[in-house]
Amino acid sequence: MYVALQPMPIKKIAITEFIQSAIHGTILDARSPGEYKHAQIPGAISLPLFTDEERKIVGTVYKQESRQSAIKLGLDFFGVKMKSMVEAVEKIIADKNSAEGQETKETLYVHCWRGGMRSAAVAWLLDMYGFDVCVLNGGYKAYRNWALRQFEKEYNFKIIGGYTGSGKTQLLQQLQRNNKFVIDLEGIAGHKGSAFGGIGLPEQPTQEMFENMLALELNKKEGQVFYIEDESQRIGRLNIPHSFWNTMRTKPVYFLEIPFDERLKFITKEYGVLDKEKIKEAILRIQKRLGPLETKTAIQHLEEDNYTGCFDLLLKYYDKLYLKGLNNRENIALLLNKIECSAVDTISNVEKLQLCATVNI
């Protein structure tokens, strides 16, 4: 008697299992290019079932006609892409094996917006071809909900404080080299924080993408003691999620006390190489808060290539701004730990920071 073999159903995994395993594997995003460009799960590779225009057309048919009509239309779009999609995945795996220097059986983690028809179609194709495939239950929406929950949690971290020009980012980098856990908010945001912080850098990610990346970093550090730089809630055009920002305001601050002249030398060296017109544009963006006389003087110094004079004015402005933010904390007297430093010396200042942080556990 002939018995028809039933294909095994493709495994669906919940977001908690996905975070534990898939985040280190090959994640394939079946959403449209526009959805992917706006924000994605960190590390995901775009493998769109539909183009942006095709998605729009299928969605319109779904709403105006029926689910069945939309599926038939989707199959027309999907059918001609099957071979190229399989070949694209083969190349992704081959490139990964080449980079890692070994060939392994790779599990593919597929998702779309809600874990619906798009991820099901892509997973069916790849499974039929012979790949090991899992689908994220709930899709990208499940990841977003998970990401937002991370900002509500309690974490054990220490904040590195200090006026502008204290070399806080360099300290974070050195701490990481010392095998300490760190989260670089400015690195994730793609911006150094001030009006001048985006000069010479690529465009910042979207707010949603910033949150996606930050949530994953927080999850990796959960249960660990880590360091983070003191920031205003806004980094360029992005905002630190409000609930996590509130948590930051309750954590101990290790404030680097570095003389003004030393910070001025550091900031002049770091920012003095930037495009002069971009610096001028940044000064004009803060002119209402900087004041008309200070704005005019700063620009005059800049045009005369007197970068020290220009940044002297700007540094004094940012010192006042930072001091206001520092003191706008409850129990600041209990949270603040001052560390006397003679210069912007990364190695020496990291040693002092770690000693102070150890004493004040």
Side-chain angles (χ1 to χ4, degrees):
M1 181 176 67
Y2 174 76
V3 179
L5 294 176
Q6 295 297 319
M8 293 292 290
I10 294 170
K11 182 182 179 182
K12 288 192 173 185
I13 60 172
I15 186 62
T16 49
E17 183 181 350
F18 177 87
I19 294 299
Q20 292 169 0
S21 55
I23 215 68
H24 305 294
T26 299
I27 306 169
L28 300 176
D29 188 333
R31 297 177 304 152
S32 68
E35 292 173 288
Y36 178 87
K37 182 180 179 181
H38 176 71
Q40 71 275 166
I41 296 173
I45 300 168
S46 181
L47 188 74
L49 179 65
F50 301 133
T51 66
D52 293 327
E53 184 60 27
E54 287 168 349
R55 174 178 172 253
K56 183 178 178 182
I57 294 170
V58 171
T60 300
V61 170
Y62 187 96
K63 290 178 181 178
Q64 296 181 356
E65 296 182 28
S66 67
R67 181 176 183 270
Q68 287 73 21
S69 296
I71 290 174
K72 287 180 180 179
L73 180 59
L75 287 172
D76 286 338
F77 293 141
F78 181 36
V80 296
K81 300 175 185 176
M82 287 183 177
K83 180 181 177 182
S84 62
M85 291 179 77
V86 166
E87 290 175 341
V89 174
E90 285 182 318
K91 186 176 187 307
I92 289 167
I93 293 176
D95 290 346
K96 187 172 183 180
N97 286 337
S98 177
E100 294 176 353
Q102 59 181 353
E103 188 170 336
T104 57
K105 177 71 172 177
E106 188 74 21
T107 299
L108 305 176
Y109 299 88
V110 180
H111 75 85
C112 58
W113 166 236
R114 284 180 298 193
M117 288 185 288
R118 286 185 288 177
S119 59
V122 173
W124 166 82
L125 172 65
L126 299 178
D127 176 71
M128 181 181 65
Y129 187 71
F131 292 114
D132 184 19
V133 184
C134 289
V135 172
L136 171 59
N137 200 20
Y140 174 75
K141 187 176 181 182
Y143 180 84
R144 277 297 294 164
N145 290 335
W146 173 88
L148 295 175
R149 290 196 298 271
Q150 305 315 300
F151 306 129
E152 305 287 342
K153 295 181 178 180
E154 182 59 42
Y155 298 96
N156 187 2
F157 61 93
K158 303 173 188 294
I159 293 179
I160 301 175
Y163 292 120
T164 300
S166 296
K168 298 186 290 293
T169 299
Q170 287 75 7
L171 257 67
L172 280 179
Q173 294 168 349
Q174 184 59 46
L175 284 165
Q176 198 162 31
R177 286 191 288 269
N178 291 355
N179 297 316
K180 301 298 181 182
F181 294 104
V182 306
I183 291 182
D184 183 358
L185 289 171
E186 293 182 359
I188 297 171
H191 198 281
K192 295 181 181 178
S194 69
F196 308 86
I199 300 175
L201 295 177
E203 184 180 356
Q204 287 186 272
T206 62
Q207 178 68 32
E208 190 171 309
M209 189 62 206
F210 171 64
E211 292 170 359
N212 286 352
M213 293 187 287
L214 177 56
L216 194 57
E217 287 302 308
L218 287 170
N219 178 258
K220 290 176 183 177
K221 307 300 187 298
E222 190 172 359
Q224 306 290 343
V225 178
F226 61 91
Y227 291 88
I228 200 166
E229 184 176 341
D230 196 15
E231 301 283 354
S232 62
Q233 187 170 8
R234 194 167 181 83
I235 306 177
R237 59 177 174 77
L238 302 177
N239 288 307
I240 298 171
H242 192 68
S243 51
F244 182 65
W245 164 250
N246 284 339
T247 301
M248 288 178 64
R249 307 300 280 176
T250 67
K251 297 298 180 180
V253 179
Y254 295 86
F255 185 89
L256 306 172
E257 286 270 26
I258 301 176
F260 180 89
D261 289 346
E262 293 296 320
R263 293 187 290 110
L264 178 58
K265 284 192 292 185
F266 177 82
I267 209 72
T268 301
K269 182 178 180 181
E270 184 174 21
Y271 284 88
V273 297
L274 299 179
D275 184 284
K276 188 184 289 187
E277 282 304 310
K278 296 292 185 183
I279 296 175
K280 183 178 178 180
E281 290 171 11
I283 292 171
L284 291 174
R285 282 200 298 273
I286 60 171
Q287 61 180 319
K288 288 184 179 179
R289 288 172 291 167
L290 186 60
L293 178 59
E294 288 80 0
T295 300
K296 181 180 178 181
T297 305
I299 291 175
Q300 183 179 339
H301 284 319
L302 183 66
E303 290 173 343
E304 293 171 353
D305 292 332
N306 180 8
Y307 288 94
T308 299
C310 176
F311 289 122
D312 181 288
L313 280 169
L314 296 173
L315 204 56
K316 288 172 181 173
Y317 161 75
Y318 276 109
D319 280 2
K320 292 177 184 176
L321 203 63
Y322 181 84
L323 186 60
K324 181 179 179 181
L326 178 69
N327 289 323
N328 189 25
R329 287 172 162 90
E330 292 184 13
N331 302 319
I332 183 59
L334 297 175
L335 297 174
L336 188 60
N337 303 277
K338 293 187 177 182
I339 304 171
E340 295 289 338
C341 304
S342 59
V344 185
D345 183 330
T346 301
I347 300 298
S348 173
N349 294 351
V350 161
E351 291 176 356
K352 292 177 181 179
L353 169 66
Q354 290 186 259
L355 179 60
C356 183
T358 301
V359 171
N360 291 280
I361 289 178

